[in-house]
Amino acid sequence: MAEPARAKPKPTPETQHFWDGTRAGELRLQRCDDCAHVYFPPRPFCPSCGCRKVSVFKASGKAKLYSYVINHRPAAPGFTPPYAIAVVELDEGPRMMSNILDCPQTPEALELDMKLEVAFEQLDDAITLPQFRPAKG
Amino acid sequence: MRRNQVAVVGAAETTELGIIPHMSQLQLHADAALNAMADCGLKPSDIDGVATAVETPQQIAHYLGITPSWVDGTSVGGCSFMLHVRHAAAAIEAGLCKTVLITHAESGKSMIGKQPRSTPADSLNGQFEAPFGVYGPPSMFPIPVLRYMKTHGITHEQIAMVAVVQREWAAKNPRATMKKPITVEDVLNSKMIAYPFRILQCCLVTDGGGALILTSAERAKDFPTKPVYILGTGESVETPMVSQMQTFDSSRAFRTAGPTAFREAGIAHKDVDHLMIYDAFAHLPLYGLGDLGFMPHEETGPFIAAGHTRPGGKLPLNTNGGGLSYMHSGMYGMYALQESVRQMRGIAPAQVPGAKISVCHGVGGMFAASGTIIFTNET
Ligand SMILES: [Zn+2]
């Protein structure tokens, strides 16, 4: 019997540029042309001032660990427990959910505010996930 | 909204709570509604307003044989019923309807006549949270707590005490699911669910329901039950994505709904005799105490650890045992409201002697929504 599949994102017209970015190895954010607010998740207007003039730009990929759980049970399909579900804070300001790769999934190894860098995890031809791992150096 | 213009005259839970495999979710709604009507001597034909969540008002109205002239299908998670109370009170005061029935029921354990919750892959949650292994509330709701603990200096032991104290309340309640006393050590040694939370810090999963009937304070005098007046109300929403909360140090939805209700009621925190804070998980009472303005967040953990919320303490909190020990069908807000009404009527199993003001604070989703109702039994 096939294992139940891992949840996979399905892009919409408003988010396609983000998923095109991760496939190209870029973490893309949006900035308001009017008030300079940087935001996530993607949408074609600024959630701070309502302006429709916004620009997509490549983020630094630098972040720090904001908070997390280490999930034991029940585990999501496609995941082997225990695994951390984290929220990272990007240097540009927005926060996003992520797993923490290349790191023991323990409270000792996962220190709040530790420096992280983006890593791209390809799920299939269409979808590459933005993930984070401890920053090198 | 003006104070004390509307009252709860009927209140009841389902005849049974716990595991009820012989009843569909829809019938649990009806069971609670019929019990609430019997509580105050009404028939379905006496009801002209219907509010419910998850199930639609048309489903509930038709099943019960009600022809409503006002409905509210606000469905923002477990605090939806607090919002229904607020909306119903405004509608009654505005003359849109006279007698409102609010129902909740959930076949949360047995899953009879209940659709499983799902997250579409093209929703924002489906794109930006689901792929990272979130899987139900236990994997999501505790995500903010480590940051909250670091910012405010809260310890694992202090949060464990939330579960210990609520078990003390549950022991006084014959209808509570879990009554056996537990210690901080028991909590911290129980089965790990999603670090830092263990199973005794996560809510129960049960079947059940509850219903409320509201009318004007003027008409309330003619009912057989002791009226419980709506003194103040508040509501808000923030985000369906826990990762996108403004901060994990507090809840914006709580900070909006709670103080709105206190302002409307015109009361100070020292006036509160009884408090309910929806506890799907053990950190919620800490967020609630801080965001409702009872104390700074740094003091919430020490306050609970010192025993101030336990039986005999100065701020009785979650006196039915809460979602951790009483019951939790998935949308617990209705049971918190029921306990506040019992306390104001003076008939709660763990009655707070002489309680005159009860604050009932709910959460929906993972800090996605919030509603606060302040009740009083005096005008
Ligand atoms: Zn802007």
Side-chain angles (χ1 to χ4, degrees):
Chain A
M1 202 174 84
E3 299 239 328
R6 174 174 175 165
K8 213 177 284 179
K10 186 176 169 194
T12 62
E14 295 80 24
T15 64
Q16 188 64 52
H17 70 271
F18 179 87
W19 296 111
D20 290 344
T22 54
R23 209 170 41 181
E26 289 188 4
L27 183 65
R28 293 180 183 167
L29 293 174
Q30 286 167 302
R31 183 188 289 118
C32 176
D33 291 350
D34 202 26
C35 77
H37 179 60
V38 177
Y39 63 89
F40 176 87
R43 75 206 80 166
F45 62 91
C46 169
S48 185
C49 75
C51 177
R52 288 175 185 265
K53 284 194 292 181
V54 297
S55 303
V56 174
F57 70 100
K58 182 187 168 186
S60 67
K62 290 180 183 157
K64 60 183 184 176
L65 182 56
Y66 185 57
S67 200
Y68 66 92
V69 294
I70 303 172
N71 198 40
H72 286 246
R73 60 178 66 81
F79 283 80
T80 306
Y83 60 95
I85 306 167
V87 173
V88 307
E89 186 168 289
L90 305 176
D91 275 14
E92 291 82 0
R95 298 194 195 110
M96 49 197 295
M97 197 170 271
S98 176
N99 302 118
I100 307 297
L101 309 182
D102 306 329
C103 181
Q105 306 290 290
T106 63
E108 295 71 30
L110 293 162
E111 256 189 89
L112 292 196
D113 300 313
M114 68 193 280
K115 288 184 175 169
L116 303 168
E117 63 185 23
V118 72
F120 294 98
E121 183 182 16
Q122 186 176 352
L123 295 188
D124 59 23
D125 288 347
I127 294 294
T128 295
L129 288 182
Q131 294 278 25
F132 285 81
R133 64 180 171 221
K136 295 189 181 83
Chain B
M1 206 178 322
R2 291 187 300 150
R3 295 166 199 153
N4 298 344
Q5 299 300 302
V6 171
V8 174
V9 292
E13 294 172 349
T14 44
T15 309
E16 297 170 68
L17 290 179
I19 301 173
I20 317 172
H22 51 275
M23 239 184 246
S24 70
Q25 180 161 295
L26 182 57
Q27 181 56 30
L28 289 168
H29 275 266
D31 183 54
L34 293 170
N35 285 345
M37 286 185 233
D39 181 51
C40 60
L42 293 182
K43 299 185 298 297
S45 56
D46 298 318
I47 307 288
D48 64 353
V50 171
T52 194
V54 181
E55 296 286 355
T56 59
Q58 57 267 42
Q59 179 72 270
I60 299 305
H62 189 256
Y63 195 63
L64 284 164
I66 294 168
T67 305
S69 52
W70 176 88
V71 298
D72 181 9
T74 301
S75 195
V76 293
C79 64
S80 298
F81 318 101
M82 282 79 174
L83 276 69
H84 295 155
V85 169
R86 185 171 207 238
H87 302 170
I92 290 166
E93 215 197 326
L96 303 184
C97 54
K98 289 189 166 65
T99 312
V100 172
L101 169 70
I102 303 170
T103 70
H104 157 72
E106 202 159 2
S107 184
K109 178 76 173 177
S110 302
M111 300 292 286
I112 311 293
K114 174 186 157 80
Q115 297 297 318
R117 296 178 192 180
S118 67
T119 304
D122 56 0
S123 65
L124 291 177
N125 291 69
Q127 293 180 73
F128 299 112
E129 290 196 343
F132 303 101
V134 297
Y135 200 59
S139 67
M140 286 187 273
F141 223 149
I143 288 175
V145 73
L146 286 178
R147 172 58 56 180
Y148 183 90
M149 293 170 71
K150 179 166 180 175
T151 300
H152 301 303
I154 303 295
T155 68
H156 292 282
E157 289 74 15
Q158 288 165 354
I159 299 183
M161 263 302 273
V162 172
V164 172
V165 168
Q166 290 192 198
R167 191 59 66 85
E168 292 177 9
W169 285 111
K172 297 172 173 291
N173 189 341
R175 269 165 73 90
T177 305
M178 307 293 278
K179 301 188 195 67
K180 186 170 156 266
I182 51 174
T183 65
V184 167
E185 289 69 36
D186 293 336
V187 176
L188 295 178
N189 290 321
S190 65
K191 189 164 68 175
M192 186 67 85
I193 299 295
Y195 175 86
F197 277 2
R198 295 166 182 273
I199 195 157
L200 290 176
Q201 292 163 304
C202 303
C203 64
L204 306 164
V205 181
T206 54
D207 305 324
L212 294 170
I213 296 172
L214 280 73
T215 193
S216 66
E218 201 180 320
R219 289 185 68 220
K221 296 186 190 102
D222 300 329
F223 281 82
T225 47
K226 180 176 177 175
V228 178
Y229 301 98
I230 313 298
L231 184 60
T233 62
E235 68 186 280
S236 191
V237 296
E238 185 175 359
T239 165
M241 301 171 74
V242 68
S243 64
Q244 298 306 312
M245 288 171 69
Q246 188 181 66
T247 172
F248 286 174
D249 297 341
S250 77
S251 157
R252 194 191 77 188
F254 284 20
R255 291 198 315 276
T256 307
T260 301
F262 273 85
R263 272 195 305 278
E264 204 172 276
I267 60 163
H269 292 84
K270 63 172 169 44
D271 300 328
V272 176
D273 301 308
H274 171 253
L275 177 61
M276 298 296 290
I277 299 175
Y278 188 137
D279 58 321
F281 293 88
H283 55 323
L284 292 174
L286 281 71
Y287 277 83
L289 286 171
D291 286 334
L292 268 59
F294 282 93
M295 62 200 69
H297 284 286
E298 304 80 64
E299 293 174 19
T300 58
F303 186 82
I304 288 171
H308 295 311
T309 61
R310 67 170 25 145
K314 61 182 173 188
L315 186 58
L317 171 65
N318 293 343
T319 50
N320 59 353
L324 297 179
S325 287
Y326 179 58
M327 81 86 67
H328 195 294
S329 53
M331 297 173 74
Y332 167 82
M334 175 56 81
Y335 308 97
L337 290 165
Q338 295 286 336
E339 175 66 6
S340 281
V341 170
R342 284 191 295 264
Q343 289 284 348
M344 291 296 92
R345 287 177 169 185
I347 57 166
Q351 181 63 41
V352 176
K356 294 183 177 64
I357 292 180
S358 173
V359 173
C360 190
H361 179 74
V363 69
M366 319 301 143
F367 293 111
S370 184
T372 312
I373 304 296
I374 304 181
F375 295 101
T376 184
N377 49 22
E378 290 189 326
T379 50

